[in-house]
Amino acid sequence: MTHQDNFSLKGKTAIITGSGKGIGKAIALAFAEAGANVVCVARTQADIDAVAEQASQYGVKSLAVVCDVMDESALNALVVQTLEVMGQVDILVNNAGGARPGPAMSVSGEQLTRDFEFNVTTAFNLCRIVAPHLQAQSGSIVNITSAAARYSQKNFSSYGTSKAALDHLTHLLAAEFAPTIRVNAISPGAIMTEALEQFLDEASTQAVIERTPMKAMGKPEDIANAAVFLASPAARWITGKTLEVDGGAESTPWPF
């Protein structure tokens, strides 16, 4: 295998949740450029149709599947449809997730439970559903967590807790699924996405940049490049690890 082949995903099929926008979209397109057939998953048909169309321009097969990851029956249907169209599944990227920041005193127990379900339970369910098919392909899973899982900061009690759980779930599943399925995570720091732009004005953006050792905001492509690496043969001896892609920030760069 050549050095270039080590970073190729040619002949692989990847499911990427939350791939209508932002980090998920960047991962889907990077995978397609690396040669993978991609299954773009989100709740908004128009978004994933556009990403799937863009991905197909790299000469790969693409599929857009509308799916609410909170619905376990929809996750089962997603995998069935993927196998019918693509014939196999080699890579799963659990990217769908999120939670609004806010003071702990304003977060209800119901909201905490819902955030946990969105960020952890959905990923666990899809891992469990896809695992037998990944095992047949010696495949891999990449979970997208967050630097909020390890930063001590205000207003992230629910989101940070759920992402920390996803981090540890990654390590536990890696131990259980080895040696046939590799399971890793990527922990993004401050990534400039459409979702984040609405919270930051020019002054707060500059403050984040100043508090980040690399003196720049991250881009979705930075996470996508890390995902290509972890899903590729180049990472064949890596499992149960969380790759921190955060510009070197060892504590929160948020100025709030």
Side-chain angles (χ1 to χ4, degrees), residues 140-212:
S140 73
I141 296 169
V142 179
N143 294 321
I144 306 301
T145 66
S146 171
R150 63 191 178 91
Y151 292 161
S152 297
Q153 57 185 337
K154 297 184 293 183
N155 300 323
F156 283 86
S157 57
S158 184
Y159 181 64
T161 298
S162 60
K163 286 299 191 179
L166 181 58
D167 257 341
H168 197 47
L169 178 65
T170 297
H171 307 150
L172 296 172
L173 291 182
E176 192 161 337
F177 291 170
T180 50
I181 304 171
R182 295 185 302 105
V183 188
N184 292 292
I186 299 171
S187 173
I191 307 295
M192 186 56 84
T193 60
E194 291 175 30
L196 182 59
E197 276 181 318
Q198 60 186 310
F199 291 106
L200 297 178
D201 57 20
E202 189 174 341
S204 55
T205 299
Q206 194 56 42
V208 172
I209 290 170
E210 287 303 315
R211 294 170 188 223
T212 302

Side-chain angles (χ1 to χ4, degrees), residues 2-3 9 36 39 45 47 50 64 89 173 200:
T2 67
H3 183 74
L9 300 180
V39 181
Q45 185 80 61
D47 288 347
V89 185
L173 291 182
L200 297 178

Side-chain angles (χ1 to χ4, degrees), residues 7-10 12 14-41 46-64 91 93 95 194 220-229:
F7 294 91
S8 172
L9 300 180
K10 190 172 183 180
K12 307 292 186 184
I15 294 174
I16 306 104
T17 67
S19 50
K21 294 179 180 177
I23 288 171
K25 174 182 177 179
I27 291 173
L29 295 178
F31 276 16
E33 188 174 2
N37 301 317
V38 294
V39 181
C40 303
V41 182
D47 288 347
I48 51 174
D49 281 346
V51 176
E53 170 60 29
Q54 204 173 336
S56 69
Q57 294 173 14
Y58 289 106
V60 301
K61 291 169 69 176
S62 63
L63 178 65
I91 303 161
V93 179
N95 170 69
E194 291 175 30
E221 290 75 20
D222 294 318
I223 308 305
N225 290 337
V228 170
F229 165 63

